[in-house]
Amino acid sequence: MEKSDIFNKIIKVIRINTADESITASSSIQNDVGLDSIGWLRCLIGIERVVGIPIAPHTVFRKDIESVEDLCNVILDSLSKAGEDANVQ
Amino acid sequence: MFNNYYDVFESIKGNTENYIDWIKWNGSSYDTVSRTFDDIYHDVMSCYGRVKELGLTQGCTIAFEIENTYDCLLIDSALLLTGVKTIISNKKEKTEILDERSKEFNAQYIITERTSAGANGETVISYDSIINNNGSSFISKPLEFDDDISIMFSSGTTGIPKALGITGDGSIWSSNNFFRFMEFTTADKFLIFMPLSNYQQRFLFWGCLMNNVNISLGNDMTLFHDLVMLEPSILLAPPNFFYNLYREQQMSKDDIIRAALGSKMTYLLTGMAAIDNSVLEFFHDHGNEIYQIYGQTEIGMIACNTKKVNKLGSVGRPIIELNVSENGEIITNSPFPIVSGYYENGSLISRMSKKRGTGDIGRVDESGFVYIEGRINDTIVLNNGKKINPIHIENQLRNLVTAKEVVVYKDKSSGSGSEVTVVIINGDENATLDFVIRNIPEIKSFSDDLRVESVSLDDSVISDFYTENGKFSRKKAIEYFIKAYPWR
């Protein structure tokens, strides 16, 4: 699965959870994605489902993740460390 | 009969049927760990022995940074049995706050994982040095409660942290009273996920031990994983948890609620703040009843709905003595107050009486069900003398518009223009004055003096409006808007 496909799937999950089709990779986690902490936890579950691997629990709350693209890159990193063909849906 | 913590822990000795479980991130996935109640007893005793070896005895004051881990539960339990007084904090708070509190209460020790703690010369003890050192001791006789067991900091309903003295007999009585009223069974499993630094969560732990109810120990970062992997049957969560699921379910054809709650959930509880009836009805129609319960930081659990007696919109029947005063305030009388009083600069400055006003306005119906109608301090009295309940309006608005939060207030400062201001935080385009007037009947009576404002705020600003329990502080939000947005 291409990197761009994975990015698109993650962004789609965030769009569904926020009901906001304007979310893109460059969207700011703090300013553009209108989710509270519980909303982010719901999002994480959805992202895990589409990428096929568990994601470290603190990931969505990391202070070094500023944009949706940053989040996607961290998840891609987790995917490559998993070292297996993720069951990406 | 549980007179002290010795009785609480003696009661679980030999119980291999009930257990505590939790999930643990191993770097790439989650493992599930489980310990029986008998294991808890022996683990606590081992900790107790180690705590004694370290010289922590009755009369000591210990600053304890408690996290939602099994190890921290063991340490807390051992400290209770030792008779020390703990000053509670959590790792989300800055080190300066830990040090300030430690200094204020003359703590001799700090139990924490932070390497930078101990600015005042306290002895810093890591969790590991207590847990992994095979202490061994058994308690020969229970200690009498001659002082508060703990000091905790709670924002309560105001959003401003206060230091409260927690009593041992009040803690034991209150948690046991709640569990007995709710009639949870030994087949149930209670997910405790909100911070243990809030004493209510520790109450739930003690209540489970005293009533042989299984425990799942979670935290606020793994909540939905805890629900699915541990499959608890009881969850107590703040209203924003249910609002999130409600909104997500409305946007999806899949059964989001069932998928989120796990297969064994039978008891959804909420309190801490008001929840709109439409959300309660939605969950009821979905087959997942939410039972509202009512309590206060200083008093503990006051009223509860249960499976046997539940009235939607009420907070249930009282579980302690309750009356309504002439001005509508709810007054309670508890035989064993949880909170001894308020502390300031390390000293108890005001004692709490058994009988006290809650500051909440409410009523009791003919069947004995309690309804909360707002805070005395929040009631808005209009210039024409009419009183309105802003919380009631906010709850209605939350279901009409998509917004992060909503506040309704009267700006008493001069030159404020409109009498009542509705602020919709990070809301959608529907949030206009016309829309609000059209959809909320009680607003029509003062719509000429009403302002509706939509604002977009960064999460960094909005996060200041919440307490550590996820409770939205209206007071903090309103103070912000009065200061930052002088409406004209």
Side-chain angles (χ1 to χ4, degrees):
Chain A
M1 186 67 62
E2 295 287 333
K3 172 180 169 176
S4 59
D5 291 331
I6 296 172
F7 266 49
N8 288 337
K9 285 182 186 297
I10 293 171
I11 291 170
K12 186 177 174 186
V13 169
I14 298 174
R15 284 178 179 167
I16 289 170
N17 275 265
T18 56
D20 183 355
E21 289 293 316
S22 71
I23 300 289
T24 63
S26 60
S27 297
S28 160
I29 298 285
Q30 284 289 326
N31 302 328
D32 301 325
V33 180
L35 288 174
D36 60 14
S37 57
I38 297 214
W40 269 115
L41 293 180
R42 293 297 308 144
C43 214
L44 181 66
I45 294 277
I47 292 171
E48 285 183 338
R49 204 174 295 130
V50 299
V51 302
I53 60 163
I55 295 166
H58 56 274
T59 298
V60 292
F61 303 113
R62 277 170 52 168
K63 291 188 166 38
D64 59 336
I65 294 179
E66 292 183 354
S67 67
V68 170
E69 183 176 0
D70 291 342
L71 177 64
C72 291
N73 281 326
V74 166
I75 293 168
L76 264 177
D77 195 42
S78 300
L79 269 168
S80 65
K81 278 179 186 161
E84 58 190 32
D85 286 333
N87 182 21
V88 180
Q89 295 174 23
Chain B
M1 184 71 176
F2 300 97
N3 293 310
N4 47 55
Y5 286 100
Y6 172 84
D7 292 342
V8 172
F9 288 99
E10 278 295 302
S11 76
I12 63 171
K13 189 162 81 171
N15 181 347
T16 54
E17 296 299 315
N18 294 104
Y19 63 94
I20 182 172
D21 59 14
W22 62 94
I23 62 174
K24 206 168 161 180
W25 179 252
N26 63 22
S28 58
S29 63
Y30 290 99
D31 297 321
T32 305
V33 186
S34 173
R35 299 287 283 165
T36 67
F37 275 19
D38 186 55
D39 291 331
I40 295 175
Y41 173 82
H42 289 285
D43 291 343
V44 168
M45 290 305 133
S46 175
C47 269
Y48 172 78
R50 182 63 187 141
V51 159
K52 297 287 267 186
E53 282 169 18
L54 287 169
L56 279 55
T57 58
Q58 192 173 20
C60 285
T61 302
I62 319 280
F64 178 30
E65 188 167 78
I66 189 168
E67 299 176 25
N68 279 41
T69 63
Y70 180 66
D71 288 352
C72 279
L73 275 176
L74 296 179
I75 295 171
D76 187 42
S77 303
L79 293 175
L80 285 168
L81 290 166
T82 317
V84 306
K85 182 190 285 184
T86 49
I87 312 301
I88 299 292
S89 61
N90 68 64
K91 67 177 180 184
K92 287 184 182 168
E93 291 166 317
K94 293 180 186 167
T95 307
E96 296 80 62
I97 292 183
L98 181 67
D99 285 335
E100 268 168 31
R101 288 176 183 171
S102 175
K103 186 178 177 183
E104 182 183 343
F105 289 92
N106 295 319
Q108 296 93 26
Y109 302 88
I110 299 181
I111 300 176
T112 179
E113 289 301 284
R114 298 190 213 217
T115 51
S116 56
N120 308 301
E122 305 93 333
T123 302
V124 180
I125 302 172
S126 68
Y127 300 153
D128 260 357
S129 62
I130 299 176
I131 296 294
N132 294 322
N133 270 278
N134 296 318
S136 105
S137 184
F138 290 90
I139 306 164
S140 55
K141 66 172 185 179
L143 296 168
E144 298 298 321
F145 291 124
D146 63 354
D147 194 0
D148 291 331
I149 56 168
S150 210
I151 305 292
M152 59 141 316
F153 297 83
S154 169
S155 50
T157 47
T158 65
I160 300 166
K162 300 174 283 194
L164 305 169
I166 306 297
T167 66
D169 46 11
S171 300
I172 291 172
W173 186 88
S174 180
S175 53
N176 200 24
N177 187 44
F178 168 60
F179 270 68
R180 282 165 55 196
F181 187 85
M182 298 302 285
E183 295 184 325
F184 299 132
T185 73
T186 58
D188 277 315
K189 187 155 69 166
F190 207 131
L191 174 61
I192 301 171
F193 77 94
M194 286 184 282
L196 287 173
S197 52
N198 183 308
Y199 75 79
Q200 286 149 357
Q201 311 312 312
R202 293 151 83 203
F203 275 27
L204 298 177
F205 174 64
W206 301 326
C208 286
L209 296 183
M210 288 186 278
N211 292 272
N212 298 325
V213 174
N214 301 303
I215 305 160
S216 284
L217 181 62
N219 68 67
D220 50 13
M221 286 215 208
T222 57
L223 170 57
F224 290 102
H225 293 82
D226 296 324
L227 284 166
V228 167
M229 296 184 68
L230 301 174
E231 297 190 300
S233 62
I234 309 169
L235 174 70
L236 169 59
N240 70 331
F241 170 84
F242 298 104
Y243 279 118
N244 265 280
L245 285 184
Y246 164 74
R247 281 188 214 115
E248 193 180 342
Q249 183 66 76
Q250 286 183 312
M251 295 187 294
S252 175
K253 287 178 291 212
D254 299 328
D255 193 341
I256 298 293
I257 292 176
R258 286 243 153 76
L261 297 177
S263 63
K264 297 186 180 154
M265 186 61 66
T266 58
Y267 235 134
L268 293 170
L269 306 173
T270 195
M272 305 126 194
I275 186 168
D276 197 70
N277 281 359
S278 60
V279 176
L280 298 174
E281 283 162 5
F282 184 88
F283 273 78
H284 169 82
D285 293 342
H286 191 267
N288 292 97
E289 201 76 42
I290 299 173
Y291 300 91
Q292 279 199 96
I293 61 178
Y294 168 57
Q296 274 205 339
T297 306
E298 289 85 347
I299 300 167
M301 229 45 103
I302 299 172
C304 304
N305 278 303
T306 69
K307 283 184 184 174
K308 282 186 184 164
V309 279
N310 179 38
K311 211 168 198 180
L312 198 141
S314 84
V315 291
R317 286 198 175 134
I319 66 171
I320 58 175
E321 188 184 318
L322 180 151
N323 290 295
V324 182
S325 70
E326 274 181 13
N327 67 348
E329 185 183 3
I330 291 177
I331 311 287
T332 62
N333 191 355
S334 172
F336 291 100
I338 291 172
V339 170
S340 62
Y342 296 101
Y343 281 72
E344 204 172 278
N345 298 324
S347 301
L348 190 64
I349 55 160
S350 63
R351 280 213 169 269
M352 211 142 296
S353 59
K354 290 181 181 182
K355 187 172 181 176
R356 61 177 279 120
T358 60
D360 288 327
I361 296 178
R363 61 183 175 88
V364 182
D365 73 11
E366 61 283 352
S367 305
F369 285 90
V370 181
Y371 294 81
I372 307 301
E373 293 170 342
R375 297 282 296 163
I376 285 182
N377 293 340
D378 290 338
T379 301
I380 293 176
V381 182
L382 300 175
N383 290 339
N384 61 9
K386 185 179 155 98
K387 290 182 188 175
I388 62 168
N389 183 335
I391 294 169
H392 189 231
I393 297 171
E394 286 165 8
N395 285 340
Q396 292 177 75
L397 276 168
R398 280 194 187 91
N399 290 308
L400 291 169
V401 300
T402 301
K404 191 97 171 194
E405 281 297 346
V406 177
V407 279
V408 175
Y409 65 94
K410 177 176 177 175
D411 184 352
K412 298 182 179 70
S413 56
S414 60
S416 56
S418 297
E419 186 165 18
V420 177
T421 301
V422 174
V423 181
I424 303 194
I425 305 169
N426 296 13
D428 63 22
E429 293 158 354
N430 287 334
T432 63
L433 178 64
D434 282 342
F435 177 86
V436 169
I437 292 172
R438 247 186 298 125
N439 287 280
I440 301 186
E442 66 206 84
I443 274 185
K444 285 183 186 146
S445 65
F446 58 93
S447 59
D448 288 345
D449 266 318
L450 172 71
R451 173 195 288 119
V452 174
E453 299 287 349
S454 284
V455 299
S456 289
L457 295 177
D458 288 350
D459 275 354
S460 57
V461 173
I462 296 171
S463 63
D464 285 342
F465 300 161
Y466 289 85
T467 68
E468 64 178 20
N469 263 356
K471 191 191 298 189
F472 177 66
S473 167
R474 298 182 69 255
K475 184 178 160 82
K476 284 185 173 181
I478 291 167
E479 278 171 359
Y480 173 84
F481 289 117
I482 288 175
K483 198 171 153 191
Y485 286 80
W487 315 109
R488 292 285 178 265

